[in-house]
Amino acid sequence: MRKLIITEFISVDGIAEVEKLPGVTWNDEMNKFKEDELADSGAMLLGRTTYEIFAGSWPEETGDFADRFNALPKYVASTSLKALDWKPAELLTGALPEAVRELKQGSGGNIYVHGSLSVAQELLRHRLVDRIRLLSYPGAVGQGKPLFPPEQVPLELISAAPFSNGVVALEYAPGKA
């Protein structure tokens, strides 16, 4: 069975809006974190907004990482999109929890949710998430879109690794409710 893994850039106060995060210098440790995720990834699950942002920039990127990232199957949760130009891609139909349960039963490697906060929150509510991988930026931003839904989400720490630029890589498994 495939695992569903949420991956986010986040502030220490839980805000996952990349444009609000404190500036840090991207470094080799962060690069390795993302390379490891890509090596483990068999597909992406994206909401409409993240899909459109990625589709507007990733196809123009070059290099090994970009080639592998662009080639991943993309599953898109959207009720308004009718066509997907960034291939390979498929629109999910029906209710998101049921569609994701079906995807998890398939083969082809783990499914990573990048960004897509409303999708991530719904998957957390329905207890469909197997892992949460975070790059926690050194600073609180005070307000913005949080990663976690307003209800309590128990987590069990799997690993924590501080990077030389102040970012901390965190991995959690959902805890028992």
Side-chain angles (χ1 to χ4, degrees), residues 35-149:
E35 284 280 351
D36 290 348
E37 283 185 346
L38 184 57
D40 182 57
S41 185
M44 287 185 246
L45 172 57
L46 306 169
R48 178 196 52 82
T49 301
T50 302
Y51 172 82
E52 289 178 333
I53 292 167
F54 282 12
S57 61
W58 274 104
E60 307 305 318
E61 296 293 325
T62 59
D64 181 58
F65 186 95
D67 292 346
R68 291 182 290 142
F69 194 75
N70 283 318
L72 284 173
K74 298 142 197 74
Y75 299 102
V76 182
S78 174
T79 56
S80 60
L81 286 176
K82 302 300 177 217
L84 302 172
D85 297 327
W86 185 33
K87 305 286 184 191
E90 176 184 327
L91 275 170
L92 295 178
T93 57
L96 181 63
E98 287 73 28
V100 169
R101 283 185 189 96
E102 189 174 314
L103 284 176
K104 288 179 71 171
Q105 295 299 317
S107 60
N110 294 326
I111 304 164
Y112 276 76
V113 178
H114 299 266
S116 308
L117 296 177
S118 60
V119 169
Q121 287 182 354
E122 186 168 351
L123 297 173
L124 285 163
R125 276 190 207 100
H126 287 275
R127 304 189 63 72
L128 290 167
V129 177
D130 298 293
R131 289 285 187 274
I132 301 166
R133 292 176 52 97
L134 305 173
L135 286 178
S136 179
Y137 279 54
V141 297
Q143 63 182 10
K145 294 179 185 174
L147 166 59
F148 296 100

